[in-house]
């Protein structure tokens, strides 16, 4: 900061100077200093040098003052110099993490981050959204922690205190007994106060399934040959959250297709999510021949989203 005499003097001129805070703070934004300037005869300019402190905080431009006092062989025309520190730290970028949690894990915990600290508080609103997971799988409550997870408080918004760069947000994950694919849902944080380079950010949580794949079984059926049909029941050991399919066909035992029963056209059974049983019906042929009891088979093949525990149904 330049200090000037209006004209050269024949005598040595001295003046004291000292720095003082304005919006900037000594120690964190600049290094305070004081001293005396000496102008030799004929000299009209001297400088006061103030060291500026670099930081990573988005804080806007800040100022400090240099004040002149106690002149000798001169008077003071303007005793106040204002130093302006131009901030070079951009507004922080807001991000939301994408956690993975088992469905019995209790909570999905998201980390909200600012890329660099801000000199003022930053507040964001919080909103959950379905993905492949729905309200039966997570939420709806939200909790916020500003102390690294030591304490949690119910909230619909989160605030980064001045200088803070991290906040935790969690929501419950709801366990079930359905075998299903891994499912996802989202948390969006939208800036409502403070300054960020982006208006909002979204993280996607993944819930990993921990339920066993169900198994398929077909029962055995005994009917009189005059009954006309034999109906087999195919059962899942537990309901599934996914569609389950299984192929079926028939094969001879001691009974012969064509004369004793009508062979099945190979087909597929489909169990919609939550459905645990389906049936297969075979036509039985009536005759007048004494031949004793006879058997044929209904076979299960090529399951998807399930295994086969008992894949042969015996028709007697």
């Amino acid at each position: 900061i330049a200090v000037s005499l209006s004209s050269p003097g024949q005598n040595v001129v001295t003046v004291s100077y000292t720095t003082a805070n304005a919006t900037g703070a000594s120690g964190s934004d600049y290094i305070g200093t004081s001293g005396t300037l000496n102008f030799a005869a004929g000299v009209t300019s001297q400088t006061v040098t103030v060291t500026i402190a670099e930081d990573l905080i988005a804080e806007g431009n800040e100022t400090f003052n240099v004040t002149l006092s106690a002149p000798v062989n001169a008077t003071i025309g303007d005793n106040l110099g204002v130093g302006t520190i131009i901030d070079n730290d951009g507004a922080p970028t807001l991000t939301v993490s994408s956690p993975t949690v088992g469905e019995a894990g209790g909570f999905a915990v998201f980390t909200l981050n600012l890329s660099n600290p801000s000199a003022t508080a930053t507040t964001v609103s919080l909103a959950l959204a379905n993905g492949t997971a729905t309200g039966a799988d997570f939420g709806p409550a939200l909790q916020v922690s500003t102390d690294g997870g030591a304490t949690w408080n119910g909230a619909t918004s989160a605030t980064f205190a001045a200088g803070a760069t991290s906040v935790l947000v969690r929501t419950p994950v709801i366990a079930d007994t359905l075998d299903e694919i891994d499912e996802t849902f989202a948390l969006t944080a939208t800036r409502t106060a403070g300054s960020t380079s982006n208006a909002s950010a979204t993280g996607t949580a993944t819930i990993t399934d921990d339920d066993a794949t169900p198994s398929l079984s077909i029962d055995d059926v005994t009917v009189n040959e005059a009954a006309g049909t034999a109906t087999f029941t195919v059962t899942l050991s537990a309901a599934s959250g996914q569609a389950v399919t299984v192929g079926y066909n028939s094969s001879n035992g001691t009974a012969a297709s064509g004369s004793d029963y009508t062979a099945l056209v190979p087909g597929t059974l489909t169990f919609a999510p939550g459905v645990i049983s389906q049936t297969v019906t075979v036509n039985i042929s009536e005759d007048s021949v004494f031949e004793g009891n006879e058997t044929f088979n209904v076979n299960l093949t090529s399951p998807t989203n399930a295994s086969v525990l008992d894949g042969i149904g015996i028709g007697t």
Side-chain angles (χ1 to χ4, degrees), residues 65-256:
N65 299 326
V66 176
T67 304
L68 302 181
S69 63
V72 175
N73 296 322
T75 60
I76 293 179
D78 178 2
N79 76 327
L80 181 64
V82 178
T84 300
I85 305 169
I86 298 173
D87 186 44
N88 65 352
D89 302 296
T93 299
L94 172 68
T95 58
V96 180
S97 70
S98 295
T100 297
V101 60
E103 67 177 10
F107 291 90
V109 180
F110 297 83
T111 302
L112 279 57
N113 280 315
L114 295 177
S115 59
N116 52 282
S118 176
T120 58
T122 303
T123 299
V124 295
S125 62
L126 304 171
L128 293 168
N130 291 349
T132 52
T134 67
D137 302 304
F138 68 93
L142 283 167
Q143 296 178 329
V144 172
S145 175
T146 57
D147 56 9
T151 58
W152 295 90
N153 295 290
T156 57
S157 65
T159 297
F160 297 83
T165 59
S166 180
V167 172
L168 299 180
V169 177
R170 73 181 186 181
T171 191
V173 172
I174 302 169
D176 60 34
T177 58
L178 296 175
D179 175 56
E180 53 197 351
I181 61 171
D182 293 346
E183 298 174 302
T184 62
F185 66 95
L187 174 71
T188 297
T190 302
R191 184 190 69 244
T192 58
S195 179
T196 56
S197 63
N198 51 331
S200 65
T202 298
T204 300
T206 300
I207 305 171
T208 57
D209 186 57
D210 61 0
D211 299 298
T213 301
S215 59
L216 290 155
S217 297
I218 186 170
D219 64 351
D220 298 326
V221 176
T222 299
V223 295
N224 186 281
E225 69 178 7
T229 59
T231 298
F232 296 79
T233 300
V234 181
T235 305
L236 273 174
S237 59
S240 176
Q242 307 181 72
V244 171
T245 64
V246 65
Y248 63 85
N249 58 47
S250 60
S251 60
N252 291 345
T254 56

